[in-house]
Amino acid sequence: MSEVYAARRALLRERYATAGAEAAVVSRPANVRYLCGGAPAGAALLLGPAAGPEDLLVCPPDPVREPGRERVEEPLRTLLLPMTEAEADPVVTAAGLAASAGAGSLAVEEHHLSVARHRAVAAAAPRLRLTDLACAVEQQRLVKDEEEISCLRIAAEIADQALGELLESILVGRTERHLALELERRLIDHGADGPAFPTVVGTGVNAGRPGHTPTDRRVEEGDFLCICLGAGYRGYRSEVGRTFVIGTTPADWQIELYELVFEAQRAGREALAPGTAYRDVDAAARHVLDAAGYGEGFGARTGHGVGLEIDEDPRLSPSAMGKLDACVPVTVEPGVHLPGRGGVRIDDTLVVRPEADGGPELLTITTKELLAL
Amino acid sequence: MSEVYAARRALLRERYATAGAEAAVVSRPANVRYLCGGAPAGAALLLGPAAGPEDLLVCPPDPVREPGRERVEEPLRTLLLPMTEAEADPVVTAAGLAASAGAGSLAVEEHHLSVARHRAVAAAAPRLRLTDLACAVEQQRLVKDEEEISCLRIAAEIADQALGELLESILVGRTERHLALELERRLIDHGADGPAFPTVVGTGVNAGRPGHTPTDRRVEEGDFLCICLGAGYRGYRSEVGRTFVIGTTPADWQIELYELVFEAQRAGREALAPGTAYRDVDAAARHVLDAAGYGEGFGARTGHGVGLEIDEDPRLSPSAMGKLDACVPVTVEPGVHLPGRGGVRIDDTLVVRPEADGGPELLTITTKELLAL
């Protein structure tokens, strides 16, 4: 693995060198992890002008080991700050080291560093010219390699298994919170680092509610039951969302709403292809719901990228700029929520693939039939 | 409750007005919540020069409702950004509103806003003079009112109950991860919003390891079992840590190590009093471990404040500046970890009270005897 990380750092080094910076400090946790594998929380990665060996990972004392991180091995020079510097900021330390190593300019992540931390960096290394690394690492992370995709594939399988097991159990009478906790336990049973994000379980009026947090409401006959969960596997995060009906026969309005959202979600999935504009994927799904008069109930985005973060670029929204590339994993997750009645959300994680390779690769294979449980 | 929030905002208004700002935007989530009760993730609070009614909470579309938040009611003017502005930054929107309302200067939280967001604010309101609100809200949050302390007391009771129930069950053969998940389920059973932080369960060689994340290691006879958990209740977060021995009779080294850490923790607790320097609380606990030659194995801090965040001011560390006040809740949590053997951590949440009121109030009442389970 370690060659992979070294290659990623070499590519980043070219980018900031081209932009006129002699060194860079990466501080955003997912970016640090992408560039050196396992990294404790709060660590800062110092990249020098020279080759790999110059790179240094500056870690705070008492580093928090996050699940999945300890698995990755990376022979990177590491500086563990002593307890006496417990309050020290690894970014400031790294900048000081860059300055004393003779660097004249340093690129930092201005979208991650607070104004106060940035000021502390400038104060610690006054002769260092600070530039903006911007989202150079996020851009590198956009297209995944097959190693990353296989981690996402496993993460998706784990979530499918956990969901499948839950559906075989009795659901009526159990609360949203307990169903969410059971799903998270099953994710770990099946080898996940942990949940990729807080599991969403919404039943009845809560089903399909955007940003819903599980409550003590119990599942009842006739409810829509909306579940969205994901697994983290070696740091990579999947997402799957399904909606079910509780009881023997769904009501007509439930069948109609489900078929509509399914139609929108399929349109979004079918729009996934290299070269397609992000906003066109959003439009494909959104158009179906708008045409049926549910545009308002729909959220701000049809989907988003997934990887080391559950919500990363690209954004599949009306205002998003850019086009899909092959090997970009995204979610397609349209939904409709009718206040006071409930709603439907259907959410898959797919990898964009060219037509020649069979088109988009579906990672979340749980059925999208409307199951009556 | 709403008068409480209005009073907090009025106090903050005095502070930034004295510092020469006409308006302020609060963006750090815990600070927003402190000043207006429930607030969706990503919301920004605009405080004007005038009285309460001028204040405005700017919320992103699809606001995520976090547990416990929906309980708080607050008649605050709210602006929900439309879906078409899904990518808009509520802080930038709030700054623009302040400028168009005629404010000439605006205080922002430079320790929370990234350099990039700060730049966007400046660009959106070029005639606005931006100043630093710094940690004015964090300073206000330091001393808790009795309403806040009663939430912490309930949070601590919930964690004590969850821990007590776990201890009555069979532990040998179960993994750290499953014990952690069961504890988190029990927290919710007893009415918690959720865990205050990821539950730590370390057994055997992992016991007492700083920053440990639960693994698949199973509890064995003769292990130290170290558990640290907390509940969130109405947003307030407690913390309790205990260490047990698995089996009938602890080994001599286990008894000695436990008694030493207990001694250090008691020294830290007894040092809690209004007017005591933060560093003196740390020194009281640290001295006991240093004297026994375990200074190295000890972490960077003896404890920290708790409230709307699990790790907030004050820091009880050797380099911390400042003195304790009455009604400040803190943890006292010294520990020792012996690589390859395991260790002990004992962690309480207490509220600083004057001697006349009986001294520090212990919120986490689970026994600190060395139990053999």
Side-chain angles (χ1 to χ4, degrees):
Chain A
M1 277 301 285
S2 63
E3 315 71 41
V4 174
Y5 300 116
R8 291 171 181 175
R9 294 197 299 271
L11 180 57
L12 180 64
R13 199 173 286 113
E14 286 172 25
R15 296 193 179 191
Y16 67 72
T18 311
E22 293 170 38
V25 175
V26 177
S27 52
R28 194 174 176 197
N31 290 346
V32 172
R33 182 166 190 175
Y34 177 77
L35 294 169
C36 64
L45 176 62
L46 172 61
L47 298 173
E54 284 297 313
D55 301 336
L56 177 70
L57 186 67
V58 183
C59 304
D62 280 354
V64 175
R65 293 165 199 76
E66 293 183 13
R69 296 198 164 205
E70 63 285 352
R71 293 205 189 89
V72 189
E73 270 148 44
E74 162 69 358
L76 185 70
R77 265 202 319 156
T78 299
L79 168 64
L80 183 66
L81 291 175
M83 286 301 173
T84 53
E85 290 180 38
E87 314 295 325
D89 181 343
V91 173
V92 173
T93 306
L97 292 168
S100 53
S105 58
L106 180 72
V108 298
E109 296 187 297
E110 294 188 354
H111 60 298
H112 178 253
L113 282 191
S114 71
V115 175
R117 290 179 80 185
H118 191 270
R119 188 185 302 118
V121 168
R127 283 189 306 285
L128 211 49
R129 185 171 56 84
L130 296 180
T131 65
D132 186 8
L133 188 61
C135 292
V137 185
E138 283 84 352
Q139 284 158 25
Q140 253 179 273
R141 286 167 48 196
L142 206 54
V143 173
K144 272 65 175 179
D145 62 32
E146 287 305 321
E147 177 70 27
E148 295 179 282
I149 290 172
S150 68
C151 289
L152 283 167
R153 199 177 286 119
I154 293 168
E157 285 169 6
I158 290 171
D160 279 329
Q161 287 171 316
L163 182 55
E165 289 171 358
L166 186 81
L167 299 185
E168 292 167 8
S169 65
I170 303 290
L171 299 171
V172 172
R174 297 168 70 189
T175 71
E176 294 172 352
R177 286 188 178 181
H178 280 100
L179 292 176
L181 279 162
E182 178 173 339
L183 283 164
E184 295 186 354
R185 182 178 60 75
R186 292 182 183 279
L187 290 175
I188 288 168
D189 286 344
H190 288 293
D193 307 330
F197 53 90
T199 299
V200 178
V201 177
T203 186
V205 294
N206 295 335
R209 194 162 71 111
H212 178 64
T213 300
T215 69
D216 293 327
R217 190 187 188 286
R218 296 178 186 278
V219 175
E220 297 171 8
E221 288 283 330
D223 278 357
F224 264 137
L225 174 65
C226 205
I227 295 174
C228 187
L229 78 160
Y233 182 75
R234 301 201 172 185
Y236 286 84
R237 296 160 189 267
S238 70
E239 183 175 317
V240 60
R242 294 291 186 264
T243 302
F244 311 97
V245 168
I246 303 302
T248 47
T249 49
D252 292 348
W253 73 274
Q254 292 177 314
I255 295 170
E256 284 161 24
L257 191 62
Y258 190 91
E259 285 175 350
L260 179 70
V261 174
F262 178 82
E263 192 50 50
Q265 202 253 357
R266 183 171 60 190
R269 280 186 281 118
E270 290 176 351
L272 295 178
T276 304
Y278 301 148
R279 60 176 49 168
D280 291 345
V281 178
D282 178 74
R286 192 174 296 275
H287 170 72
V288 175
L289 299 180
D290 280 340
Y294 289 117
E296 278 312 295
F298 188 25
R301 301 177 304 171
T302 291
H304 54 78
V306 294
L308 286 170
E309 292 174 289
I310 190 57
D311 187 350
E312 56 181 57
D313 291 336
R315 308 260 180 274
L316 304 179
S317 73
S319 58
M321 304 292 286
K323 291 181 159 61
L324 289 172
D325 283 312
C327 301
V328 173
V330 295
T331 67
V332 177
E333 49 180 301
V336 172
H337 178 252
L338 307 178
R341 299 181 71 189
V344 176
R345 179 169 295 268
I346 304 174
D347 184 351
D348 280 314
T349 300
L350 307 94
V351 181
V352 176
R353 302 280 194 188
E355 197 58 46
D357 299 354
E361 176 187 358
L362 181 68
L363 299 189
T364 46
I365 61 172
T366 296
T367 180
K368 289 187 281 286
E369 282 176 76
L370 176 55
L371 298 181
L373 304 170
Chain B
M1 276 303 286
S2 64
E3 314 72 39
V4 175
Y5 301 117
R8 291 172 180 174
R9 295 197 298 271
L11 181 57
L12 181 64
R13 199 172 287 114
E14 286 172 27
R15 295 193 180 191
Y16 66 72
T18 312
E22 293 170 38
V25 175
V26 177
S27 52
R28 193 172 177 200
N31 291 347
V32 172
R33 182 166 191 175
Y34 178 77
L35 294 170
C36 63
L45 175 63
L46 172 61
L47 298 173
E54 284 296 313
D55 301 338
L56 177 70
L57 187 67
V58 182
C59 304
D62 282 353
V64 175
R65 294 167 199 74
E66 293 184 11
R69 295 196 167 204
E70 62 283 355
R71 292 205 191 91
V72 191
E73 272 148 42
E74 163 70 357
L76 186 69
R77 272 202 312 154
T78 300
L79 168 65
L80 184 65
L81 291 175
M83 287 300 174
T84 54
E85 290 180 38
E87 314 293 324
D89 181 343
V91 173
V92 173
T93 306
L97 291 169
S100 52
S105 58
L106 180 73
V108 299
E109 296 188 297
E110 294 189 354
H111 61 298
H112 177 254
L113 282 191
S114 72
V115 175
R117 289 179 81 186
H118 190 271
R119 188 185 301 118
V121 169
R127 281 188 308 286
L128 212 49
R129 185 171 54 85
L130 297 180
T131 65
D132 187 7
L133 188 60
C135 293
V137 185
E138 283 84 351
Q139 284 158 25
Q140 253 179 272
R141 286 168 48 197
L142 206 53
V143 172
K144 272 66 175 177
D145 62 33
E146 287 305 320
E147 177 69 28
E148 294 178 282
I149 290 171
S150 69
C151 288
L152 283 168
R153 199 177 288 119
I154 293 168
E157 285 170 5
I158 290 171
D160 279 329
Q161 285 171 319
L163 182 55
E165 289 171 358
L166 186 81
L167 299 186
E168 292 168 6
S169 65
I170 303 290
L171 299 171
V172 173
R174 297 168 70 189
T175 70
E176 294 172 353
R177 285 187 177 178
H178 281 99
L179 292 176
L181 279 162
E182 177 172 341
L183 284 165
E184 295 186 354
R185 182 177 59 75
R186 292 182 183 278
L187 290 175
I188 287 167
D189 286 342
H190 290 292
D193 308 330
F197 54 90
T199 300
V200 178
V201 176
T203 186
V205 293
N206 295 334
R209 195 163 70 112
H212 178 64
T213 302
T215 69
D216 293 327
R217 189 187 189 284
R218 295 178 186 278
V219 175
E220 296 171 11
E221 288 283 328
D223 278 356
F224 263 136
L225 173 65
C226 204
I227 295 174
C228 186
L229 78 159
Y233 182 76
R234 301 200 171 185
Y236 286 84
R237 296 159 189 267
S238 71
E239 182 174 319
V240 60
R242 294 293 185 263
T243 303
F244 311 97
V245 169
I246 304 302
T248 47
T249 48
D252 292 347
W253 74 273
Q254 291 177 312
I255 295 170
E256 285 160 25
L257 190 62
Y258 190 91
E259 285 175 351
L260 179 71
V261 174
F262 179 82
E263 190 52 46
Q265 203 253 358
R266 183 171 60 191
R269 280 185 282 120
E270 291 176 350
L272 296 178
T276 304
Y278 302 148
R279 61 176 50 167
D280 291 344
V281 178
D282 178 76
R286 192 175 297 274
H287 170 74
V288 175
L289 299 179
D290 280 340
Y294 289 117
E296 279 312 296
F298 187 24
R301 301 177 303 170
T302 290
H304 55 79
V306 295
L308 286 168
E309 293 174 289
I310 189 57
D311 188 350
E312 56 180 55
D313 290 336
R315 309 260 180 274
L316 303 180
S317 73
S319 59
M321 303 293 287
K323 291 182 159 62
L324 289 172
D325 283 311
C327 301
V328 173
V330 296
T331 67
V332 177
E333 50 179 303
V336 172
H337 177 252
L338 308 178
R341 298 181 73 187
V344 175
R345 180 170 295 267
I346 304 174
D347 184 351
D348 280 314
T349 300
L350 306 95
V351 181
V352 176
R353 304 281 193 187
E355 196 59 44
D357 299 352
E361 176 187 358
L362 181 69
L363 300 188
T364 46
I365 61 173
T366 296
T367 180
K368 290 187 280 285
E369 281 176 77
L370 176 54
L371 298 180
L373 304 171

